[in-house]
Amino acid sequence: MNNFIERLLANQYRTLLFPKDFSGDAVFGFECNDGWANLIEATLRLTRRHAELKALDVKVTQAKEKFGQLRIYHSGSDEDIGSVFEIAQLASGCICELCGKPGEVVSLEGWLVARCGKHSARGHLDPIEAHIADEKYITSYTQAVDAILAFFGAGAVHWVQEERTAFAGRHPSEMLATEEGCQAIFTFLKRLEHGVGV
């Protein structure tokens, strides 16, 4: 990941990424490309909020790409925070690791990678646009995942993985790749919560 993005995340979420007695300017070392930066920020934001509410000392020990998905290794979490990381892993497989657009896990030159149609071609040479944090997506994602956790509890990860007739057979994990998909999930769950038919 770009050093500038890493430094921003490290400064903003240092309580999650570094020991309490750590001082200094450091880069955490996210082992993935910039396309997942918004997903990572949304995940860290959710994690910090849940950790503060429950007075947990959560530490992210490693974040990397593995088999085309984002894997975040951690300690000190509870079931909700574990679900936050699992949902991020599922969503990452539907987000191009290079550009952040919707994509899927494909095999490219023998490696499983998360790519959009534009970046899944062999020998791809198109330049990647500089990453700009998308606050609307980050906010929508955190709201949607919060709603999923509140509504389904221990079943949240399972709900995200399955096709849903309410979304025309789409998987919620796929929908979490876009701001619009996150908003659709949030609206649907809020309507269910208030007993409104869908």
Side-chain angles (χ1 to χ4, degrees):
M1 183 179 282
N2 175 305
N3 271 351
F4 178 72
I5 300 169
E6 287 195 3
R7 286 186 188 282
L8 285 177
L9 292 172
N11 285 331
Q12 198 165 356
Y13 300 99
R14 63 189 305 120
T15 58
L16 293 175
L17 303 175
F18 302 105
K20 285 181 183 174
D21 59 354
F22 178 83
S23 62
D25 185 28
V27 173
F28 176 72
F30 294 94
E31 299 171 51
C32 61
N33 288 304
D34 297 353
W36 287 342
N38 289 321
L39 176 64
I40 290 170
E41 180 160 2
T43 301
L44 293 176
R45 188 178 293 180
L46 273 167
T47 301
R48 182 174 63 190
R49 185 182 315 147
H50 282 269
E52 287 172 353
L53 282 172
K54 298 174 182 179
L56 298 172
D57 184 22
V58 179
K59 288 291 178 267
V60 172
T61 55
Q62 188 178 32
K64 67 178 190 175
E65 180 277 332
K66 185 174 181 180
F67 301 125
Q69 292 183 317
L70 174 66
R71 307 295 173 99
I72 299 177
Y73 301 95
H74 57 282
S75 64
S77 68
D78 64 1
E79 187 174 38
D80 281 349
I81 293 173
S83 294
V84 167
F85 290 132
E86 286 187 63
I87 290 169
Q89 178 181 327
L90 294 166
S92 69
C94 303
I95 299 172
C96 179
E97 186 191 355
L98 296 180
C99 70
K101 300 275 192 275
E104 62 183 344
V105 175
V106 297
S107 179
L108 189 61
E109 298 178 12
W111 298 96
L112 290 175
V113 293
R115 296 287 189 268
C116 63
K118 179 180 176 182
H119 296 130
S120 60
R122 243 179 121 182
H124 153 72
L125 296 173
D126 292 340
I128 307 296
E129 293 179 21
H131 169 76
I132 299 171
D134 184 347
E135 186 57 37
K136 286 183 179 179
Y137 170 76
I138 293 166
T139 300
S140 295
Y141 180 92
T142 58
Q143 288 175 336
V145 174
D146 258 340
I148 292 166
L149 292 172
F151 205 87
F152 297 104
V157 175
H158 176 73
W159 186 81
V160 166
Q161 294 180 72
E162 301 295 320
E163 292 180 0
R164 299 291 159 197
T165 54
F167 304 125
R170 295 178 71 195
H171 296 82
S173 57
E174 171 193 348
M175 297 173 66
L176 288 169
T178 66
E179 177 192 346
E180 297 76 19
C182 292
Q183 289 174 348
I185 290 170
F186 180 76
T187 301
F188 171 74
L189 293 178
K190 283 299 170 187
R191 292 182 72 182
L192 282 182
E193 183 183 356
H194 293 99
V196 179
V198 291

